[in-house]
Amino acid sequence: MSAHCQLTGAKPGFGNKISHSHRRTSRRFDPNIQSKRYWLASEGRHVRLTLSAKAIKTVDNIGVEAAVARIRGRGGKV
């Protein structure tokens, strides 16, 4: 599963781990990506979305129809 959110577009950030001796090595900050299945009533089918935890809360707020419309507006495939 790729580490990016279909709704918000959240993707990994990059930075450095800094040890006690202050040596730096690169690291990656991944978003909390979950795969969630929703019923899309307008199309009469289920859709599986790859969302961050924040985006799951957004879908609960705005509804799955509006969320799918936003994803398609960004050029995403559902």
Side-chain angles (χ1 to χ4, degrees):
M1 171 175 16
S2 69
H4 81 278
C5 174
Q6 289 180 303
L7 182 61
T8 62
K11 55 188 176 188
F14 295 90
N16 290 310
K17 286 185 217 173
I18 302 180
S19 70
H20 179 69
S21 64
H22 219 64
R23 291 178 75 112
R24 292 159 191 236
T25 54
S26 59
R27 63 160 293 176
R28 180 173 150 149
F29 297 91
D30 284 329
N32 185 4
I33 298 294
Q34 310 291 324
S35 182
K36 191 134 167 71
R37 189 171 170 241
Y38 290 100
W39 174 251
L40 195 57
S42 64
E43 298 179 16
R45 68 184 183 108
H46 284 95
V47 291
R48 186 168 300 279
L49 301 176
T50 305
L51 303 170
S52 64
K54 181 181 178 183
I56 290 173
K57 294 175 191 172
T58 302
V59 171
D60 291 343
N61 238 347
I62 66 173
V64 69
E65 301 287 340
V68 167
R70 281 190 194 179
I71 291 170
R72 287 182 173 149
R74 296 181 73 223
K77 185 180 173 202
V78 176

